[in-house]
Amino acid sequence: MAGDPILKTENKGFYITTPIYYVNDVPHIGHAYTTVAADVLARFKRLCGEKVLFATGTDEHGKKIQRSAEQQGITPIALADTVVKRFKNAWSLLDISNDDFIRTTEERHAKVVYEIWQRMKQNGDIYEGLYEGWYCVPDESYWTEKELVNGKCPVCGRDVERVQEQGYFFRLSKYQQPLLRHIESNPGFILPVSRRNEILSFVKDGLKDLSITRAGFEWGIKVPDNPKLVIYVWLDALLNYLTVAGFSSDEGKFGDFWPPSIHIVGKDIIKFHAVYWPAFLMSAGIALPEHIFAHGWWTIEDVKMSKSLGNVVSPESLVNDYGADATRYFLMREVPFGLDGNFSGTAMQTRINSDLANDLGNLLSRATGMVVRFAGGVLPVPDVPDQFDTALQQKAAQLYDAYKTSMNNLEFHTALSVLWEFIGEANKYVDRTKPWQDAKSGNAVRLNTRLYHTIEATRIAAVYLLPFMPDTASKILNAIAQDTKGKSLEQLARWGVAVPSVNIAQAQPLFEKKTDPAKAGPGTQGAGIKGQEPPSAPQPKIASGKQAAQSVNPSITPLITLDQFKTVELKVGTILAAQRVEGSNKLIKLDVDIGERRTIVAGIGKSYKPEELLGKRIIIVANLQPAELFGIQSQGMLLAAGDAEHLGLLTLDRDAANGTRIK
Ligand code: MSP
């Protein structure tokens, strides 16, 4: 993004929030996504030396929770107590560094809700009336007849209930123009731009007054002077952000942190945050948040996540299968923040094997290994740098701006990608400068400088990793006997901060390679050779770069015999027909002639349109066991290479008949 970054360093504390999660459901990857993103930003800001208030919590009132508790034969508070433990446990497993965990059933919160209700009332914004319309309990949202889609909730598609009840309204309509003016004059208020446009057109269409009470059930904060009614759960929930900041209870804290720097929410709840919430605040005479950022949604193996499909992925299982840091890394790296993402076991494995075990693991392993082998385990003092050394120093200097700008623009995937470019550069530096040759020739001056530079580059990489992978970053810093105590990112990012003369031992591998085919989900079959990783192998102690390492140390990719290779039947074929598989944005069903007709379901839909594929000559694995994908039997796998969005099909550069076996 050109111009100023979205988040600026200001003269006040940095206050960041996640939505507070409903307690009718246990935590899943969607909740984890928002929470990890907020945590990464909170850690980044702390690392920059800013004062941070980072809050998450639970939304415990409302009809949905009451109903869920009734179905389970327990009280709503008992349900909330149980689920809160699950959320707290999940966040602890994922290393979430929240400063507060708010529950809307807490006394401190009820006080704030009453206070705001009185303020809105005094401003003439609350009046009595009859609400007649529809209500979606799962989303806790009101809808008019016209807004329904085929009689169902337009957001979640579930059944809605007819509501006719006497209660109170909030004069939302009064805030249409002020809100419009605010959004128009503050381009960074609602992000990303697509969501801003969506909200702008929603507000321009006109705002109707909002029913802010519900009747006929108990589970909520009671309306002052009318205990038969409970306050609408979204009004109750949104005010949590005030409670956390110490509104009307801790003036100092409120002064330090209000207004919120950023609310991170999912795209489904942007209306509540970008329309209702600012209007409530305007009515109560309180400053509006600086930014509201809506992220996208995750599908699982290209399928919408839902309890009925049984494909809900929990943070606990992610941590169990992949570890906290790999999960955090994957969530932040895989998808540009703001866009929808897809979780796939294969994509996760690829990230772990390639980015974490190979690129990062290799750097630490060779950096420490060389100090042990060539310097007796003591980090040498560097000498005058040559052009290789200064080039690496310059890359580190450039990384600072690129990383910081990306982080302040909430472009986490870019921050990680520039960091990985640097890790790649550090590995290349070792490949190019070949310190083992200096060791052999006894050129101690050069050798010492190379060893110091490799460790220094590793340290700098670890510093930038701190917000994303706190445990891994600490392991790296411990392994190279360096610390970050009391220093800000700006100080730590400088070249030459690594303290020499410390003792360094060969580091343990940071990540084990994953090869579990069961974790390679269905949407990934047929994606070509790309997803298939070599079996787990120990990381080389000292190797010269990723490719070089593979030739130096064959244990990275085990060698196979010709006979083993011959067990794979690769054949030439021609694509006769291609069509997208319904319900998947990645899979294409192909009809392929390999001397006989085969149906192949291939995960190439993000790189190719079906019509581009017709007539293409391809190579397929013809003796792969058939697999069923989206109800279609796939009878083989085509070969392709590259990222999911930039796959290239392997093809022939001379003609050969369909069915010709590749030798
Ligand atoms: N309780 C309200 C929020 C009140 S904030 C004042 C709520 N809770 S929720 O538990 O249903 O959802 C919380 C968040 O999880 C939302 O931001 C939502 O977008 C996110 N996600 C739920 N499913 C998701 C995915 N499949 N993918 C990504 N995020 C998703 O709404």
Side-chain angles (χ1 to χ4, degrees), residues 109-142:
H109 180 60
K111 282 190 190 146
V112 171
V113 175
Y114 286 131
E115 163 95 29
I116 296 295
W117 179 280
Q118 297 304 355
R119 281 202 189 194
M120 297 197 314
K121 203 169 157 195
Q122 273 156 20
N123 282 340
D125 288 338
I126 292 183
Y127 65 92
E128 269 190 272
L130 177 74
Y131 174 75
E132 263 190 296
W134 296 93
Y135 194 79
C136 171
V137 176
D139 284 347
E140 298 282 13
S141 55
Y142 296 98

Coordinates of all heavy atoms in Angstrom, one line a residue, residues 109-142:
H109 N -19.0 -5.4 33.7 CA -19.6 -5.1 32.4 C -21.0 -4.6 32.5 O -21.4 -3.6 31.9 CB -19.6 -6.4 31.6 CG -20.1 -6.2 30.2 ND1 -19.6 -5.3 29.3 CD2 -21.2 -6.7 29.6 CE1 -20.3 -5.3 28.2 NE2 -21.3 -6.2 28.3
A110 N -21.8 -5.2 33.4 CA -23.2 -4.8 33.6 C -23.2 -3.3 33.9 O -24.1 -2.5 33.4 CB -23.9 -5.6 34.7
K111 N -22.3 -2.8 34.8 CA -22.3 -1.4 35.2 C -22.1 -0.5 34.0 O -22.8 0.5 33.9 CB -21.1 -1.2 36.1 CG -21.3 -1.7 37.5 CD -20.2 -1.1 38.4 CE -20.3 -1.8 39.7 NZ -19.0 -2.1 40.3
V112 N -21.2 -0.9 33.1 CA -21.0 -0.1 31.9 C -22.2 -0.1 31.0 O -22.6 1.0 30.5 CB -19.8 -0.7 31.1 CG1 -19.6 0.0 29.7 CG2 -18.5 -0.5 31.9
V113 N -22.9 -1.2 30.9 CA -24.1 -1.3 30.0 C -25.1 -0.3 30.5 O -25.8 0.4 29.8 CB -24.6 -2.8 29.9 CG1 -25.9 -2.8 29.1 CG2 -23.5 -3.7 29.2
Y114 N -25.3 -0.4 31.9 CA -26.3 0.6 32.4 C -26.0 2.0 32.2 O -26.8 2.8 31.8 CB -26.5 0.3 34.0 CG -27.2 -1.0 34.3 CD1 -26.7 -1.9 35.2 CD2 -28.4 -1.2 33.6 CE1 -27.4 -3.1 35.4 CE2 -29.1 -2.4 33.9 CZ -28.6 -3.3 34.8 OH -29.3 -4.5 35.0
E115 N -24.7 2.3 32.4 CA -24.3 3.7 32.2 C -24.5 4.2 30.8 O -25.0 5.3 30.6 CB -22.8 3.7 32.6 CG -22.1 5.0 32.2 CD -22.0 6.1 33.2 OE1 -22.0 5.7 34.4 OE2 -21.9 7.3 32.8
I116 N -24.2 3.3 29.8 CA -24.4 3.7 28.4 C -25.9 3.8 28.1 O -26.3 4.8 27.4 CB -23.7 2.7 27.5 CG1 -22.1 2.8 27.7 CG2 -23.9 3.0 26.0 CD1 -21.4 4.1 27.4
W117 N -26.6 2.9 28.6 CA -28.1 3.0 28.4 C -28.6 4.3 28.8 O -29.4 5.0 28.1 CB -28.8 1.8 29.1 CG -30.3 1.8 29.0 CD1 -31.2 2.6 29.6 CD2 -31.0 1.0 28.0 NE1 -32.4 2.3 29.2 CE2 -32.4 1.3 28.2 CE3 -30.7 0.0 27.1 CZ2 -33.4 0.7 27.5 CZ3 -31.7 -0.6 26.4 CH2 -33.0 -0.2 26.6
Q118 N -28.2 4.7 30.0 CA -28.7 6.0 30.6 C -28.3 7.2 29.7 O -29.0 8.1 29.4 CB -28.2 6.2 32.0 CG -28.7 5.2 33.0 CD -30.2 5.1 33.1 OE1 -30.9 5.9 32.5 NE2 -30.7 4.2 33.9
R119 N -27.0 7.1 29.2 CA -26.5 8.2 28.4 C -27.3 8.3 27.1 O -27.7 9.4 26.6 CB -25.1 8.0 28.0 CG -24.1 8.3 29.1 CD -22.8 8.6 28.5 NE -21.7 8.7 29.5 CZ -20.5 9.2 29.2 NH1 -20.2 9.5 27.9 NH2 -19.6 9.3 30.1
M120 N -27.6 7.2 26.5 CA -28.3 7.2 25.2 C -29.7 7.7 25.4 O -30.3 8.4 24.6 CB -28.3 5.8 24.6 CG -26.9 5.3 24.3 SD -26.7 3.9 23.1 CE -27.9 2.7 23.7
K121 N -30.3 7.3 26.6 CA -31.6 7.7 26.9 C -31.7 9.2 27.1 O -32.6 9.9 26.6 CB -32.1 7.0 28.2 CG -33.6 6.9 28.3 CD -33.9 5.9 29.4 CE -35.3 6.3 29.9 NZ -35.6 5.7 31.2
Q122 N -30.7 9.7 27.9 CA -30.7 11.1 28.2 C -30.5 11.9 26.9 O -31.0 13.1 26.8 CB -29.5 11.5 29.1 CG -29.9 11.3 30.5 CD -28.6 11.1 31.4 OE1 -27.5 11.4 31.0 NE2 -28.9 10.5 32.6
N123 N -29.9 11.4 25.9 CA -29.7 12.1 24.6 C -30.9 11.9 23.7 O -30.9 12.3 22.6 CB -28.5 11.5 23.9 CG -27.2 12.1 24.5 OD1 -27.3 13.2 25.2 ND2 -26.1 11.5 24.3
G124 N -32.0 11.3 24.3 CA -33.2 11.2 23.5 C -33.1 10.1 22.4 O -33.9 10.1 21.4
D125 N -32.2 9.2 22.6 CA -32.1 8.2 21.5 C -32.7 6.8 21.8 O -32.6 5.9 21.0 CB -30.6 7.9 21.2 CG -29.9 9.1 20.6 OD1 -30.6 9.9 19.9 OD2 -28.7 9.3 20.7
I126 N -33.4 6.7 22.9 CA -34.1 5.5 23.2 C -35.6 5.8 23.4 O -35.9 6.7 24.1 CB -33.5 4.8 24.5 CG1 -32.1 4.3 24.2 CG2 -34.4 3.6 24.9 CD1 -31.4 3.6 25.4
Y127 N -36.4 5.0 22.7 CA -37.9 5.3 22.8 C -38.6 3.9 22.8 O -38.0 2.9 22.3 CB -38.4 6.2 21.7 CG -38.2 5.7 20.3 CD1 -39.3 5.0 19.7 CD2 -37.1 5.9 19.6 CE1 -39.2 4.5 18.4 CE2 -37.0 5.4 18.3 CZ -38.0 4.7 17.7 OH -37.9 4.2 16.4
E128 N -39.8 3.9 23.3 CA -40.6 2.7 23.4 C -41.3 2.4 22.1 O -41.7 3.4 21.4 CB -41.6 2.7 24.5 CG -41.0 2.2 25.8 CD -42.1 2.1 26.9 OE1 -42.3 3.1 27.6 OE2 -42.8 1.0 27.0
G129 N -41.5 1.2 21.7 CA -42.2 0.9 20.5 C -42.5 -0.6 20.3 O -42.1 -1.4 21.2
L130 N -43.2 -1.0 19.3 CA -43.5 -2.4 19.0 C -42.6 -2.9 17.9 O -42.6 -2.3 16.8 CB -45.0 -2.5 18.6 CG -45.4 -3.9 18.2 CD1 -45.6 -4.8 19.4 CD2 -46.7 -3.9 17.4
Y131 N -41.9 -3.9 18.1 CA -41.0 -4.5 17.0 C -41.8 -5.6 16.4 O -42.3 -6.5 17.0 CB -39.7 -5.0 17.5 CG -38.9 -5.7 16.4 CD1 -38.3 -4.9 15.4 CD2 -38.9 -7.1 16.3 CE1 -37.7 -5.5 14.4 CE2 -38.3 -7.7 15.2 CZ -37.7 -6.9 14.2 OH -37.1 -7.5 13.2
E132 N -41.9 -5.5 15.1 CA -42.6 -6.6 14.3 C -41.6 -6.9 13.2 O -41.3 -6.1 12.4 CB -43.9 -6.1 13.7 CG -45.1 -6.5 14.6 CD -46.4 -6.2 13.8 OE1 -46.6 -5.0 13.6 OE2 -47.1 -7.1 13.5
G133 N -41.2 -8.2 13.1 CA -40.3 -8.6 12.0 C -39.8 -9.9 12.3 O -40.4 -10.8 12.9
W134 N -38.6 -10.2 11.8 CA -38.0 -11.5 11.9 C -36.7 -11.4 12.7 O -36.0 -10.4 12.7 CB -37.7 -12.0 10.5 CG -38.9 -12.2 9.7 CD1 -39.5 -11.3 8.8 CD2 -39.8 -13.4 9.7 NE1 -40.7 -11.8 8.3 CE2 -40.9 -13.1 8.8 CE3 -39.7 -14.6 10.4 CZ2 -41.9 -14.0 8.6 CZ3 -40.8 -15.5 10.1 CH2 -41.8 -15.2 9.3
Y135 N -36.3 -12.6 13.3 CA -35.1 -12.6 14.1 C -34.4 -13.9 13.8 O -35.0 -15.0 13.7 CB -35.5 -12.5 15.6 CG -34.3 -12.2 16.5 CD1 -33.8 -10.9 16.6 CD2 -33.7 -13.3 17.2 CE1 -32.7 -10.7 17.4 CE2 -32.6 -13.0 18.0 CZ -32.1 -11.7 18.1 OH -31.0 -11.4 18.9
C136 N -33.1 -13.8 13.6 CA -32.2 -15.0 13.4 C -31.5 -15.2 14.7 O -30.7 -14.5 15.1 CB -31.2 -14.8 12.3 SG -30.0 -16.1 12.2
V137 N -31.9 -16.3 15.4 CA -31.3 -16.6 16.7 C -29.8 -16.9 16.6 O -29.0 -16.4 17.3 CB -32.1 -17.7 17.5 CG1 -31.4 -18.0 18.8 CG2 -33.5 -17.2 17.7
P138 N -29.4 -17.8 15.6 CA -27.9 -18.1 15.5 C -27.1 -16.9 15.3 O -26.0 -16.8 15.8 CB -27.8 -19.0 14.3 CG -29.2 -19.6 14.1 CD -30.1 -18.6 14.6
D139 N -27.6 -15.9 14.6 CA -26.8 -14.6 14.4 C -27.2 -13.5 15.3 O -26.6 -12.5 15.3 CB -27.0 -14.1 12.9 CG -26.2 -14.9 11.9 OD1 -25.3 -15.7 12.4 OD2 -26.5 -14.8 10.7
E140 N -28.2 -13.7 16.1 CA -28.8 -12.7 17.0 C -29.0 -11.4 16.2 O -28.5 -10.4 16.6 CB -27.9 -12.5 18.2 CG -27.7 -13.7 19.1 CD -28.8 -14.0 20.1 OE1 -29.9 -13.4 19.9 OE2 -28.6 -14.8 21.0
S141 N -29.7 -11.5 15.1 CA -29.9 -10.3 14.3 C -31.3 -10.2 13.7 O -32.0 -11.2 13.5 CB -28.9 -10.2 13.1 OG -29.0 -11.4 12.4
Y142 N -31.8 -8.9 13.6 CA -33.1 -8.6 13.1 C -33.1 -8.5 11.6 O -32.2 -8.0 11.0 CB -33.6 -7.3 13.7 CG -33.7 -7.2 15.2 CD1 -32.7 -6.7 16.0 CD2 -34.9 -7.7 15.8 CE1 -32.8 -6.6 17.3 CE2 -35.0 -7.6 17.2 CZ -33.9 -7.0 18.0 OH -34.1 -7.0 19.3

